[in-house]
Amino acid sequence: MKLTEVTLYTMKMRMKTPFITSFGTVQDKTVIVIKATDETGVIGWGEGVAFDAPSYTEETAKTTLHMLQDFLIPIVLHREIAHPDEVNRLFQSIRRNMMAKSAIEGGIWDIYAQLTNQTLAAAIGGTRDKIEIGISIGLQPTNEQLFQVIEKRLNEGYKRIKIKIKPGKDVGLVRAIRERFGNIPLMADANSAYTIEDLPLLKELDKYGLMMIEQPLAYDDLVEHAILQKKLTTPICLDESITSLADVKRAVMLGSCKVVNLKIARVGGITEAKNIHDYCVEQGIAVWCGGMLEAGIGRAHAVAISSLSGFTMPGDTAGSSHYWYEDIIEPEIIVENGFIEVSNKTGLGYKVRQSFIEQMADQKIVLS
Ligand code: OSB
Ligand code: MG
């Protein structure tokens, strides 16, 4: 295939409820939509998922646009690409900027799936026809409000509850949830809010049978996560710390985690995500699919990758209506009894609402 034109759209999508974590609040999500067209007129879609501020990783929506426009798209435009796995290698001379790389790589995968007349899930190697879904609940002003949200999500059928924790809202909160809801499948995500000095406090959490604790320590600290994991019975799951297969290899070597939260965008695309999935299966590291509050295109990519056989724990890919009043794909993504059915339609598996995007866009950049 050969890309002849790439269009970048940016738009703001208002979330139904602000998403609050230890690193900040997201209310109006900047969504970057990538429309890639190949020489035969086939269109593939990708999504840039970075936030406006560099507080989760170093990328932002603006750095994504800059990297795409000035470096990444010029590398792939008008170049013969036999298979999307090549894109990862083509981008090797560009340091990091994983979410930017992933945004265009996703569109190329979508085109490849259509050209080979298969679903994106099948093109990636996925085998499941439905995937298991949990939900990530942001910090809430009061325990009572959090309980209400948990109750609602359990009733909706989500298969596990992930809560956010931060210093001052941790052990007491987990204890209160256990008292109220008993032995539900529960995990906690700290988004790097603690240091190794907090070991005694984090050790307290061992009492509450969490499925895992996600990213307790710094985003770049595999060594201290290894020290912590040796002292905890609760499995550590790494999120921010994993940006590549090489990072996972280092984490396994050091013993920094027992679980990996895999996000396509955080590791630079579908090819790298697949490789990490395969390596985790080989090494006996549990792996599941995380989320970036994606709109429909990113969400469809997450569903496709989650259909790989090694994703054995519920992912964070909640239904579109949990986040958005109106999604950019049709039909929107629906979670029923805690499952999403993997689409059997060619490519992405959903129709992208281009006219809605055109109408919502505050920027449109055409590169050809
Ligand atoms: O740490 O997994 C995270 C949302 C934004 C940034 C980071 C994270 C999250 C979530 C929610 O936990 C994932 C989602 O529902 O898309
Ligand atoms: Mg996380």
Side-chain angles (χ1 to χ4, degrees):
M1 89 194 84
K2 201 183 269 186
L3 301 188
T4 51
E5 189 175 277
V6 178
T7 307
L8 307 174
Y9 298 91
T10 66
M11 55 197 269
K12 286 259 190 247
M13 283 174 70
R14 170 140 285 222
M15 303 190 70
K16 282 186 177 174
T17 46
F19 193 82
I20 306 172
T21 66
S22 62
F23 68 78
T25 300
V26 181
Q27 163 88 72
D28 292 297
K29 176 105 201 278
T30 301
V31 175
I32 299 176
V33 172
I34 281 116
K35 178 190 172 197
T37 309
D38 92 332
E39 58 195 336
T40 63
V42 173
I43 291 170
W45 298 93
E47 184 177 322
V49 302
F51 301 113
D52 288 344
S55 337
Y56 166 72
T57 67
E58 69 280 10
E59 289 185 84
T60 68
K62 279 190 184 167
T63 68
T64 303
L65 270 189
H66 163 52
M67 291 308 299
L68 283 167
Q69 259 189 282
D70 298 334
F71 296 100
L72 300 171
I73 291 171
I75 291 175
V76 290
L77 201 58
H78 305 298
R79 181 191 290 265
E80 182 56 41
I81 296 168
H83 190 279
D85 281 342
E86 288 170 21
V87 177
N88 200 24
R89 280 194 296 276
L90 290 171
F91 289 163
Q92 244 166 32
S93 64
I94 309 286
R95 301 281 180 256
R96 299 190 50 123
N97 289 285
M98 304 318 199
M99 294 179 190
K101 290 175 179 173
S102 169
I104 178 69
E105 193 242 25
I108 294 171
W109 270 100
D110 182 12
I111 293 177
Y112 171 78
Q114 292 173 67
L115 289 174
T116 52
N117 196 28
Q118 53 186 334
T119 65
L120 179 60
I124 296 171
T127 50
R128 296 175 192 282
D129 54 16
K130 57 180 187 174
I131 60 171
E132 235 187 326
I133 299 299
I135 196 150
S136 173
I137 301 171
L139 288 162
Q140 306 291 319
T142 66
N143 284 7
E144 197 47 48
Q145 275 164 288
L146 177 61
F147 293 163
Q148 281 171 20
V149 181
I150 292 175
E151 180 136 15
K152 186 154 180 264
R153 300 312 172 205
L154 288 172
N155 289 337
E156 287 170 355
Y158 285 99
K159 299 280 187 191
R160 66 101 176 94
I161 299 293
K162 163 168 142 184
I163 60 156
K164 296 289 186 176
I165 55 171
K166 67 173 191 179
K169 282 194 154 197
D170 39 47
V171 179
L173 192 57
V174 171
R175 185 193 309 119
I177 294 171
R178 281 293 184 228
E179 280 166 6
R180 173 85 172 240
F181 294 98
N183 197 27
I184 56 167
L186 181 66
M187 60 176 289
D189 184 0
N191 288 109
S192 296
Y194 299 90
T195 72
I196 196 70
E197 310 295 316
D198 297 310
L199 200 153
L201 183 146
L202 295 167
K203 183 78 196 143
E204 284 283 294
L205 289 172
D206 273 349
K207 289 186 201 151
Y208 301 101
L210 296 177
M211 297 167 77
M212 68 196 87
I213 177 168
E214 185 171 327
Q215 197 71 35
L217 308 180
Y219 73 97
D220 57 353
D221 218 331
L222 292 179
V223 172
E224 286 179 336
H225 276 108
I227 294 168
L228 181 63
Q229 181 67 92
K230 279 173 192 64
K231 305 277 186 193
L232 295 188
T233 53
T234 307
I236 292 177
C237 169
L238 290 178
D239 174 355
E240 285 89 329
S241 289
I242 303 299
T243 68
S244 65
L245 175 59
D247 282 341
V248 179
K249 288 186 176 173
R250 287 188 272 262
V252 170
M253 238 182 279
L254 290 166
S256 313
C257 69
K258 293 179 179 162
V259 186
V260 167
N261 167 334
L262 186 48
K263 301 183 185 178
I264 293 171
R266 204 194 56 235
V267 302
I270 287 173
T271 297
E272 192 77 1
K274 253 191 331 157
N275 292 338
I276 291 174
H277 161 274
D278 296 351
Y279 182 76
C280 286
V281 170
E282 191 189 299
Q283 294 291 320
I285 299 288
V287 61
W288 56 276
C289 182
M292 285 294 293
L293 314 175
E294 292 93 342
I297 297 169
R299 206 159 287 282
H301 283 105
V303 172
I305 197 98
S306 301
S307 71
L308 292 173
S309 61
F311 284 85
T312 51
M313 293 175 131
D316 272 348
T317 313
S320 302
S321 67
H322 170 62
Y323 309 84
W324 316 114
Y325 294 102
E326 214 179 331
D327 206 343
I328 58 175
I329 57 165
E330 246 166 24
E332 63 172 44
I333 287 174
I334 289 169
V335 176
E336 229 168 3
N337 301 318
F339 287 98
I340 295 174
E341 278 187 37
V342 180
S343 170
N344 53 18
K345 297 201 176 70
T346 309
L348 204 62
Y350 300 82
K351 191 177 155 305
V352 174
R353 300 176 61 206
Q354 194 176 336
S355 57
F356 177 62
I357 293 165
E358 292 269 353
Q359 190 188 316
M360 292 281 287
D362 42 45
Q363 254 185 117
K364 176 181 178 180
I365 302 159
V366 182
L367 303 163
S368 60

